[in-house]
Amino acid sequence: MPTALVTGSAGFIGFHCCQRLLQDGYDVVGLDAMTDYYDVALKEARHDMLAEHDTFRAVIGAVETPDLMMSLMAETRPDVVIHLAAQAGVRYSIDNPRSYLESNLIGTFEVLEAARAYPPRHMLLASTSSAYGSNTDMPYRETQKADHQMSFYAATKKATENMAHSYAHLYDLPVTMFRFFTVYGPWGRPDMALFKFARAILADEPIEIYNHGEMKRDFTYIDDLVTAIRLLIDAVPPRPGAGAAVAEGDSLSPVAPWRVVNIGNANSVQLMDYIAALETALGCQAQKTYLPMQAGDVPATCADTALLTRLTGFAPNTSVREGVARFVEWYRPYATRNQG
Ligand SMILES: NC(=O)c1ccc[n+]([C@@H]2O[C@H](COP(=O)([O-])OP(=O)(O)OC[C@H]3O[C@@H](n4cnc5c(N)ncnc54)[C@H](O)[C@@H]3O)[C@@H](O)[C@H]2O)c1
């Protein structure tokens, strides 16, 4: 059975990703530091569900801990490494930049060093649509320049793309970087809009809407995202000079087996329509407080997913109406169980 080492396995995306790999017959080793950025009980509940599989093993620790990744890689020799552990969130990075430096930059360095010593068949690392920064030329294409990040979070993520590129070049490590676009769904993140809004609406409290509601996001449903990740595992970037010329629109490096791939829904939705979908699914109206734009944020995102589709044959297509309804189906009983 192939082995995957997944960092951030107790996180929203890591949990779903591990579930899919376990269903597909992988042995999975999940590393997570269980940070208290949000409710640790939610992270433990995700790990508990993964532990129902005999082929899952959880390791609790921080990626940046010296020697931890090295010994884990030496011991497990994974075929695939999926590095999702990070300090996430644009807004939190304004007041807490150091945790991004430690988790994202030093953490990714440790992952790369361990992969250099024990090379997997393919390494896949999470970056973000925020890497496009102030770009306004939409939809965002992977081949666009992306040099003007608006938050320290985005800056650390863009830096990890470059760090991984240098390792791919120097040590012949095949690397795929994902740029995820606003992911949502069951078992989601309590610091993200959908979760915060659902909690406030059900508690009859106002929801805070930034930029006076003038926001558009390419909302990506978690199952689509995980399908894309699963398929990209087998789309190993070829080594330079391996034959075919780099196709138009492919972000493949001319000097390394490295590429960056957008994973989005290719459909930018108005924030107010997203909220309306939530109100419909919950069957109640939100009290709305309108606020100015938050520092570090951007008014709109939209992915061009042509490269993803070319590499995998897959195009994410879950509508916000459907995806938000599935989130609410999960959220209601979860919130009831966790009241008080
Ligand atoms: N959710 C989104 O919309 C989105 C969008 C773009 C990019 N991303 C990226 O995708 C990845 C997964 O995000 P998520 O939404 O699942 O976030 P998450 O916060 O739910 O998951 C991250 C997990 O990593 C763990 N972690 C944090 N720092 C760590 C460290 N130093 N060592 C080990 N574990 C650590 C946390 O405990 C958490 O369980 C992150 O890299 C994030 O930056 C997410």
Side-chain angles (χ1 to χ4, degrees):
M1 278 201 281
T3 301
L5 173 55
V6 179
T7 71
S9 51
F12 169 41
I13 296 171
F15 161 69
H16 285 280
C17 193
C18 288
Q19 291 265 52
R20 183 71 63 91
L21 291 170
L22 290 163
Q23 281 159 15
D24 287 357
Y26 274 77
D27 276 343
V28 177
V29 178
L31 173 69
D32 202 294
M34 303 304 224
T35 66
D36 62 2
Y37 169 58
Y38 64 77
D39 188 8
V40 173
L42 175 58
K43 296 181 181 184
E44 285 169 352
R46 296 184 187 126
H47 255 187
D48 287 348
M49 286 194 57
L50 295 176
E52 288 171 15
H53 296 260
D54 297 340
T55 46
F56 178 74
R57 180 161 73 92
V59 178
I60 307 302
V63 273
E64 67 272 25
T65 308
D67 300 332
L68 176 61
M69 277 303 299
M70 195 64 84
S71 55
L72 210 48
M73 290 285 284
E75 184 193 316
T76 53
R77 299 293 183 102
D79 302 282
V80 174
V81 174
I82 304 182
H83 176 44
L84 303 169
Q87 177 58 61
V90 167
R91 286 169 202 148
Y92 189 75
S93 72
I94 308 290
D95 295 325
N96 303 280
R98 189 170 297 278
S99 61
Y100 293 74
L101 180 77
E102 287 162 358
S103 289
N104 303 3
L105 294 182
I106 303 176
T108 301
F109 165 74
E110 295 292 348
V111 171
L112 291 170
E113 272 291 280
R116 168 188 174 181
Y118 302 99
R121 187 173 65 85
H122 192 183
M123 292 191 69
L124 305 102
L125 295 84
S127 184
T128 169
S129 60
S130 303
Y132 288 104
S134 63
N135 289 12
T136 51
D137 184 11
M138 264 176 251
Y140 293 144
R141 277 179 214 93
E142 296 89 341
T143 48
Q144 261 175 35
K145 264 177 86 124
D147 287 341
H148 301 120
Q149 286 72 41
M150 305 279 276
S151 65
F152 191 63
Y153 164 63
T156 62
K157 284 293 181 173
K158 183 63 181 11
T160 64
E161 295 183 7
N162 298 346
M163 287 158 63
H165 181 274
S166 69
Y167 272 65
H169 167 70
L170 290 168
Y171 310 115
D172 201 24
L173 274 175
V175 169
T176 296
M177 302 292 318
F178 308 125
R179 286 189 185 150
F180 297 149
F181 285 69
T182 318
V183 191
Y184 72 102
W187 295 95
R189 261 172 47 198
D191 62 313
M192 289 184 72
L194 190 59
F195 203 114
K196 285 202 293 192
F197 290 168
R199 181 156 55 198
I201 294 170
L202 291 176
D204 213 17
E205 289 165 7
I207 63 171
E208 295 187 332
I209 302 173
Y210 294 110
N211 206 28
H212 305 283
E214 284 303 311
M215 300 272 262
K216 287 176 86 177
R217 284 287 178 275
D218 193 351
F219 295 105
T220 310
Y221 188 63
I222 185 67
D223 289 359
D224 286 341
L225 186 100
V226 168
T227 299
I229 292 177
R230 180 66 191 87
L231 292 168
L232 282 169
I233 289 175
D234 297 323
V236 182
R239 296 182 160 97
V246 178
E248 173 76 22
D250 194 343
S251 57
L252 192 63
S253 166
V255 292
W258 177 102
R259 63 156 67 91
V260 57
V261 184
N262 288 340
I263 308 185
N265 208 46
N267 179 24
S268 201
V269 171
Q270 291 283 354
L271 176 61
M272 299 314 290
D273 292 338
Y274 189 59
I275 294 171
L278 179 61
E279 290 174 324
T280 305
L282 288 171
C284 42
Q285 294 292 304
Q287 302 168 46
K288 302 178 180 91
T289 302
Y290 293 95
L291 297 171
M293 186 75 160
Q294 286 254 311
D297 221 343
V298 295
T301 63
C302 186
D304 183 317
T305 53
L307 179 58
L308 170 68
T309 304
R310 190 184 322 150
L311 294 171
T312 63
F314 174 65
N317 61 2
T318 304
S319 71
V320 153
R321 195 170 45 80
E322 198 182 332
V324 168
R326 284 195 223 150
F327 166 81
V328 168
E329 239 171 72
W330 167 78
Y331 182 75
R332 273 190 194 283
Y334 168 81
T336 309
R337 273 198 310 277
N338 290 283
Q339 259 164 14

